[in-house]
Amino acid sequence: MSNMALICTLCFVAVAAFISMKQKLGLEKEILIGTLRSAVQLLFIGYVLHFVFGTSNPFFILIIITGMILVAAWNAGAKAKHIRGIRLRIAITLACTEGVTMGILLGLGIIAPTPQYIIPVSGIIIGSSMIVCGLLLNRMKREMEAARGEMEMLLALGATEKQAIHSSLRRSVRASMIPTIDGMKTVGLVQLPGMMTGMIVAGADPIEAVRYQILIMFVLASSAAMTAMILSLISYKLWFTKDARLLPVLPAD
């Protein structure tokens, strides 16, 4: 893609800004900031990856993946920022999911142990897992309001924190995985996913692109399940006080 073609893509941003102004949505500033940030961030990471791919130093790969996990944990933690320690739990969850998934991919020789494969696939895994964390926390906040009476009754009858919150956790885990499962059901029929589309546009054989996309879809299903389960297991006590009472419900942002 030429620089002129890239500049011409700003017309799509202009359309979004025009609609916002026309409908008086007040999103023009956010659209401008988002446009600038995405362009700067992508150009920056492009030059970083160009350097890392040239060196193939494992240390730089580890630094990039660690940075991805920290940024993802901070972003997902904003969904429940009133819960002390939730961002640390999310970071641990993302690290575990990334470690297990990438260990299987490399251990079985599914992908080559090079930065060109490890970093992009890690980004897909961590990004998808971040969304799962956010969905789980959003659902848990609603559960703390809707099922509060049920949980307090169970606690009053002598149930442990885990027993009292079990049903809400199960519903939250289920809700956080539904988008991934729905995506698997419609992939190829409703949408052509990013990796597959990118490979085809770059000139790869469509069958080879499909093979890689199948790999990614299966990886995402596994990572979504691991992320939801791990985060629910290591964070459920954060929804209670030290004396096993439910945290107070905070007003919506």
Side-chain angles (χ1 to χ4, degrees), residues 225-245:
M226 281 192 288
T227 298
M229 291 300 298
I230 294 172
L231 182 59
S232 64
L233 289 174
I234 68 174
S235 68
Y236 74 89
K237 285 193 174 182
L238 299 180
W239 299 92
F240 297 87
T241 62
K242 291 182 179 180
D243 55 353
R245 291 183 299 169

Side-chain angles (χ1 to χ4, degrees), residues 210-231:
V210 166
R211 289 162 63 91
Y212 274 100
Q213 191 59 56
I214 290 173
L215 162 66
I216 293 302
M217 294 306 298
F218 291 171
V219 166
L220 292 183
S222 172
S223 62
M226 281 192 288
T227 298
M229 291 300 298
I230 294 172
L231 182 59

Side-chain angles (χ1 to χ4, degrees), residues 23-43:
Q23 297 297 321
K24 299 181 180 179
L25 302 177
L27 295 175
E28 299 88 351
K29 181 178 179 181
E30 285 76 8
I31 291 172
L32 176 60
I33 293 174
T35 301
L36 293 174
R37 284 190 58 176
S38 61
V40 172
Q41 289 167 187
L42 287 172
L43 286 172

Side-chain angles (χ1 to χ4, degrees), residues 130-160:
M130 175 190 69
I131 294 173
V132 171
C133 290
L135 291 172
L136 189 147
L137 294 175
N138 267 333
R139 180 57 185 261
M140 274 303 300
K141 286 197 297 183
R142 292 196 294 269
E143 287 288 333
M144 290 296 288
E145 298 179 6
R148 190 175 189 84
E150 173 189 342
M151 288 187 278
E152 289 179 338
M153 181 189 69
L154 290 172
L155 290 171
L157 292 174
T160 63

